[in-house]
């Protein structure tokens, strides 16, 4: 699977590090929403859904976690272990997040407002949608 990642360069000096992400310059979409996931226990797996119309960039800004991606044919595992690394996730991609280290914070930049109707939470329904789109 072709996994798209971004490198966000840090502006470091003897005080520490700073990363800036600017709409229209560093991202392939306009940001409508930002959320972050934290206090997730190491043995917890979350996600288990795809989106019909949502692009996102995931950045583990503290600690690390793993992302399982599934496009209905192939799967990939991506380790997010640096605040400089962003993972792009498009529409129609099943995702699961797991192996959060204690204190990990997963920041998500999203192209759309929150909409529960955009979620496909049933894996078989996800596979059917992928097949239907391919047969069109
Ligand atoms: C995704 C992965 C990476 C809101 O009220 N607004 C929001 O913008 C979001 C994202 C969630 N919520 C509520 C809905 C649930 O009651 O927060 C609760 C937890 O959401 P959810 O169970 O969907 O969280 P995850 O970690 O399974 O998935 C989230 C995103 O929902 C999803 O879009 O791609 O992170």
């Amino acid at each position: 699977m072709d996994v798209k990642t971004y490198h966000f360069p840090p502006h470091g000096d003897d005080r520490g590090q700073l990363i800036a992400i600017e709409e229209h310059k560093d991202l392939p979409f306009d940001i409508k929403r930002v959320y972050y996931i934290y206090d997730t226990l190491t043995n917890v797996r979350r996600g288990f859904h795809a989106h019909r119309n949502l692009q996102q960039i995931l950045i583990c800004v503290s600690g690390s976690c793993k992302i399982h991606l599934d496009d209905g044919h192939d799967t990939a595992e991506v380790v997010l272990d640096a605040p400089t690394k962003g993972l792009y996730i498009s529409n129609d991609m099943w995702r699961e997040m797991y192996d959060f280290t204690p204190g990990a914070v997963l920041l998500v930049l999203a192209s759309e407002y929150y909409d529960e109707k955009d979620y496909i939470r049933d894996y078989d329904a996800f596979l059917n949608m992928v097949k239907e789109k391919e047969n069109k």
Side-chain angles (χ1 to χ4, degrees):
M1 185 196 295
D2 194 17
V3 172
K4 190 169 179 185
T5 56
Y6 284 80
H7 175 72
F8 301 115
H11 303 279
D13 57 30
D14 54 9
R15 299 168 299 170
Q17 304 291 332
L18 183 154
I19 291 177
I21 300 173
E22 295 189 33
E23 201 174 64
H24 302 304
K25 288 189 187 170
D26 303 307
L27 300 180
F29 54 81
D30 295 346
I31 302 168
K32 287 208 178 122
R33 179 166 52 109
V34 175
Y35 61 92
Y36 37 96
I37 294 169
Y38 62 101
D39 275 358
T40 296
L41 298 177
T42 300
N43 58 354
V44 163
R45 207 169 168 109
R46 53 193 302 164
F48 296 96
H49 58 259
H51 283 279
R52 297 170 211 281
N53 177 38
L54 182 67
Q55 302 176 74
Q56 300 190 115
I57 301 267
L58 278 57
I59 307 165
C60 201
V61 293
S62 182
S64 70
C65 66
K66 294 179 185 153
I67 314 293
H68 167 84
L69 296 175
D70 180 341
D71 65 6
H73 296 288
D74 299 314
T75 63
E77 179 187 270
V78 181
V79 180
L80 291 180
D81 55 0
T84 53
K85 183 175 181 181
L87 170 66
Y88 173 76
I89 306 184
S90 64
N91 300 335
D92 305 340
M93 183 75 76
W94 189 264
R95 80 285 316 265
E96 296 168 21
M97 302 87 79
Y98 58 103
D99 275 3
F100 286 80
T101 56
V105 180
L106 181 63
L107 175 73
V108 182
L109 311 176
S111 67
E112 305 298 331
Y113 299 118
Y114 177 67
D115 178 5
E116 178 57 36
K117 293 190 293 302
D118 192 62
Y119 285 69
I120 305 166
R121 295 192 182 273
D122 179 86
Y123 186 68
D124 290 334
F126 164 67
L127 292 179
N128 286 337
M129 183 203 65
V130 170
K131 273 190 206 141
E132 277 171 23
K133 284 198 173 178
E134 285 169 354
N135 292 335
K136 267 188 187 166

